[in-house]
Amino acid sequence: MTNLKIKNLTVTVNNKEILKDFNLEIRPGEIHVIMGPNGTGKSTLTKIIMGDPNYKIVKGEIYYGDTLINDLAVYERARLGIFLGMQMPMEIEGVSNADFLRTALRSKNENFKLYSFIKELDKTVTDLKMGKDMIHRGINEGFSGGERKKNEILQMHILKPSFVMLDEIDSGLDVDSLKIVGESVMDYFNEEKPAILLVTHYQRLLDYIKPDFVHVMADGKIIKSADASLVKVIEEEGFDKIKKSSTSVIKENE
Amino acid sequence: MNKIIIVNDEITEKDLDNSISVTYSGNEFLSEIKIDILSDTDLTINYISTEETKLHLCFNILEGVKCNLFEIKNGLKYKLGYIYNLDKDSKINICKINDINIIKEQLIFNLNGEFAETNYLLKTISDKKEKYDLMVYHNASKTISNIINNGVNVLDGKLSFVVSGFVPNGKVDCVLDQKNRIINLTNKKCEIKPNLFIDENDVIANHSAHIGKCNEEEMFYLMSRGIEPKEAENLIIRGFLLNGLKQGQNEMENIINKYWR
């Protein structure tokens, strides 16, 4: 079982600090949610964990299990079991979803079996209520926002990661699709017991995915962590109030 | 299916029904092939060049006629000139796949009658020197042109697309669309010159031109699923070259496999 551990991580992009002494630990079978105002580094955090080369780690470490992954390439992190369901999944013309997933699975698993792959793909497409033709279309080509998000969840089911990050997976989803996606994530969680890190702005996703920990992020660091009850406080009081109270606590401590 | 095979500058085989009329003329300097499209039809032309080939082709698409033209070229060295004359209500869909060393190609589209339409798609892998110069003349109102040039530049390749669209004053409701993209996997210079010469306000015109390596965000997306960089690049290139082909996928696959097996 593999923990993700981030220790005193400071990250810059174009010489601007995005994360400052950031700390977080997520264990297998835990669901963590990160919430916070726009532009505080939530999506950036997921990209840094995934290894986006646009971000530079100035100091600190990211461990996945015993492996320090700071300098690992993106594909090497993915092969360790790290998965990022993206906020705005790319459209890649001409590369069919089926070819893409087959290539990804083959590169991860030498014992790849085509029949099992097709069978699982077919089942997951049905469960997610996606059009059967989507699997043969270019990656996200002509997909609506909701279809793209479902496609991310489909990839999660097929690739079976042990650490799942879902960045605003609820945006662009109608109420019915939100329920399908939320339940599908929980089905995966119950089957595989991965660690999950969600980034969201809204409480509605958490009607389906029940978090163990909720973190509020501001200015590149976590300013408050609590259990799921924190979501209600955020809904009622907003981020500003939490940010102010957290700032005063920090000042008192100083 | 109508088919013509041209080896160097000569027609060596033709299998045509009465929808197409072909006349060949030539002298020691230049060979010329005139192809009249008389009624709705599909036509495939295979070009094979074993020596330096100079050829001029003129297509006349008669009023109300629709033609799907598929061309595949193999071989050494070409210097080709094309003229496509389209009458009223006529349409030509052209798909070209090139697997050649050196080519200099000039194409002139004359959209002479209202509602004449051309849809043009080129897919090529350039490993030496390829230059394509397209001129699209909207000589009548309500004419449509969609031009797509897709190339991947490899090894010692130099690839150039010059695409010019012309709409004179008074030719209204024309639609011009140009999409040119080169994935350049070398440090050699490639160029795209998209030109729109439009002397009329009532026109819809779009153009895009892109030269670069594989898109970094696309690479990140594929790699985030465990795919190695080289394999991700292969997937992107394969998709780029196969995308939009309604015919010739197998031929394109074979050409791709020569470079990226």
Side-chain angles (χ1 to χ4, degrees):
Chain A
M1 301 298 264
T2 316
N3 289 8
L4 181 98
K5 198 166 187 177
I6 302 175
K7 287 159 70 175
N8 301 321
L9 193 71
T10 298
V11 174
T12 60
V13 61
N14 300 328
N15 293 322
K16 189 184 167 200
E17 270 191 353
I18 303 292
L19 297 185
K20 296 167 197 167
D21 282 321
F22 187 92
N23 291 286
L24 182 66
E25 183 170 5
I26 304 176
R27 295 177 194 85
E30 288 180 356
I31 300 177
H32 290 237
V33 177
I34 291 196
M35 303 179 88
N38 293 318
T40 51
K42 303 183 298 297
S43 296
T44 304
L45 171 68
T46 61
K47 286 184 188 163
I48 291 162
I49 296 170
M50 198 69 245
D52 188 330
N54 290 311
Y55 300 96
K56 188 179 168 197
I57 295 178
V58 177
K59 72 177 178 87
E61 292 96 34
I62 310 172
Y63 283 95
Y64 193 57
D66 295 330
T67 311
L68 178 67
I69 64 169
N70 284 30
D71 296 324
L72 287 192
V74 180
Y75 74 94
E76 291 170 316
R77 297 178 194 217
R79 287 181 187 183
L80 286 177
I82 299 174
F83 176 90
L84 171 59
M86 297 188 195
Q87 189 180 346
M88 283 182 282
M90 286 299 298
E91 179 177 323
I92 305 179
E93 61 176 19
V95 182
S96 80
N97 273 301
D99 281 347
F100 160 52
L101 280 171
R102 199 167 43 225
T103 307
L105 267 183
R106 273 207 176 111
S107 57
K108 258 179 82 171
N109 179 8
E110 285 176 3
N111 299 318
F112 170 79
K113 299 272 189 304
L114 185 62
Y115 178 71
S116 317
F117 165 69
I118 293 170
K119 217 171 131 186
E120 185 169 16
L121 196 57
D122 198 47
K123 182 188 176 303
T124 314
V125 164
T126 307
D127 290 347
L128 285 165
K129 294 193 168 53
M130 295 171 77
K132 293 271 182 196
D133 67 316
M134 279 184 185
I135 203 65
H136 301 294
R137 279 160 57 187
I139 299 171
N140 297 317
E141 223 178 326
F143 285 24
S144 69
E147 287 168 338
R148 287 181 188 218
K149 296 302 172 73
K150 282 185 178 180
N151 202 21
E152 297 292 281
I153 300 303
L154 170 75
Q155 291 170 29
M156 176 192 77
H157 277 279
I158 300 296
L159 296 173
K160 306 221 178 314
S162 48
F163 176 59
V164 177
M165 295 179 283
L166 299 173
D167 184 10
E168 293 193 29
I169 204 72
D170 46 351
S171 65
L173 292 176
D174 60 43
V175 283
D176 294 331
S177 296
L178 181 71
K179 184 171 187 287
I180 291 166
V181 164
E183 288 176 351
S184 184
V185 172
M186 280 315 283
D187 286 346
Y188 182 74
F189 178 76
N190 291 329
E191 281 164 25
E192 303 287 336
K193 291 285 175 235
I196 294 183
L197 175 62
L198 292 177
V199 172
T200 186
H201 284 288
Y202 305 108
Q203 186 265 332
R204 56 186 189 169
L205 179 65
L206 308 178
D207 290 342
Y208 305 102
I209 303 174
K210 302 294 180 194
D212 301 296
F213 300 94
V214 177
H215 311 282
V216 176
M217 208 171 150
D219 302 326
K221 54 172 72 176
I222 288 173
I223 55 167
K224 191 172 177 70
S225 296
D227 61 18
S229 62
L230 181 57
V231 177
K232 201 160 179 281
V233 177
I234 294 167
E235 285 282 309
E236 286 168 3
E237 299 182 358
F239 292 120
D240 260 358
K241 203 165 176 183
I242 292 170
K243 203 175 161 184
K244 276 173 196 158
S245 62
S246 133
T247 312
S248 58
V249 170
I250 291 167
K251 277 183 182 164
E252 275 170 28
N253 288 343
E254 283 170 355
Chain B
M1 168 74 82
N2 295 297
K3 189 170 181 179
I4 298 172
I5 298 178
I6 300 172
V7 178
N8 299 324
D9 58 358
E10 282 183 37
I11 296 175
T12 55
E13 272 183 60
K14 60 178 176 182
D15 180 10
L16 302 173
D17 62 22
N18 55 12
S19 63
I20 298 172
S21 158
V22 176
T23 51
Y24 176 86
S25 62
N27 55 42
E28 58 183 303
F29 302 110
L30 187 67
S31 301
E32 195 164 309
I33 297 171
K34 184 165 162 271
I35 300 173
D36 294 326
I37 310 293
L38 309 170
S39 58
D40 291 1
T41 194
D42 296 339
L43 171 63
T44 296
I45 305 179
N46 283 10
Y47 299 78
I48 299 157
S49 154
T50 56
E51 58 189 46
E52 185 169 346
T53 300
K54 283 186 188 172
L55 190 61
H56 188 257
L57 294 105
C58 180
F59 291 80
N60 296 307
I61 298 95
L62 301 191
E63 184 173 331
V65 170
K66 290 175 181 51
C67 175
N68 295 313
L69 173 63
F70 174 66
E71 290 190 2
I72 181 154
K73 292 189 191 83
N74 305 97
L76 292 176
K77 193 170 182 181
Y78 289 92
K79 196 170 182 183
L80 299 175
Y82 288 89
I83 296 178
Y84 303 94
N85 296 313
L86 281 86
D87 286 350
K88 187 179 174 188
D89 264 330
S90 67
K91 180 175 178 178
I92 186 162
N93 300 316
I94 303 168
C95 173
K96 295 189 179 203
I97 295 175
N98 287 355
D99 178 23
I100 48 196
N101 285 29
I102 296 171
I103 190 165
K104 194 171 180 186
E105 196 167 290
Q106 187 184 63
L107 305 98
I108 296 171
F109 296 84
N110 291 311
L111 305 174
N112 295 326
E114 281 193 355
F115 301 106
E117 177 177 344
T118 183
N119 299 299
Y120 176 90
L121 174 67
L122 168 72
K123 302 279 182 179
T124 187
I125 300 170
S126 161
D127 63 3
K128 282 216 167 54
K129 193 171 183 183
E130 300 190 18
K131 187 165 198 266
Y132 301 88
D133 189 356
L134 292 85
M135 282 166 277
V136 186
Y137 293 96
H138 288 255
N139 299 326
S141 296
K142 297 172 185 168
T143 48
I144 299 170
S145 62
N146 295 301
I147 306 292
I148 301 173
N149 289 296
N150 287 165
V152 178
N153 197 54
V154 297
L155 303 171
D156 294 322
K158 278 186 183 173
L159 181 55
S160 162
F161 297 134
V162 181
V163 186
S164 306
F166 300 86
V167 183
N169 187 264
K171 306 302 177 194
V172 297
D173 291 335
C174 294
V175 180
L176 298 80
D177 205 351
Q178 292 180 19
K179 289 186 188 118
N180 302 295
R181 186 175 172 201
I182 297 172
I183 296 180
N184 187 3
L185 301 177
T186 75
N187 294 321
K188 309 270 186 216
K189 194 180 167 192
C190 292
E191 67 169 7
I192 296 173
K193 290 183 182 168
N195 303 308
L196 291 170
F197 301 99
I198 298 172
D199 195 17
E200 169 59 51
N201 290 325
D202 195 1
V203 162
I204 298 171
N206 302 295
H207 70 94
S208 65
H210 183 270
I211 303 175
K213 307 274 181 208
C214 289
N215 182 306
E216 279 179 16
E217 287 180 30
E218 290 180 358
M219 289 289 288
F220 177 71
Y221 190 78
L222 295 181
M223 289 192 293
S224 75
R225 303 317 189 229
I227 299 172
E228 285 181 34
K230 199 73 206 159
E231 206 163 357
E233 188 179 276
N234 289 357
L235 267 180
I236 289 170
I237 287 167
R238 196 172 282 272
F240 173 63
L241 288 170
L242 289 170
N243 192 36
L245 286 180
K246 292 190 178 111
Q247 201 178 341
Q249 290 97 335
N250 290 341
E251 288 86 348
M252 192 73 243
E253 284 267 12
N254 290 338
I255 299 168
I256 293 169
N257 287 341
K258 288 202 312 196
Y259 294 90
W260 292 281
R261 171 60 78 182

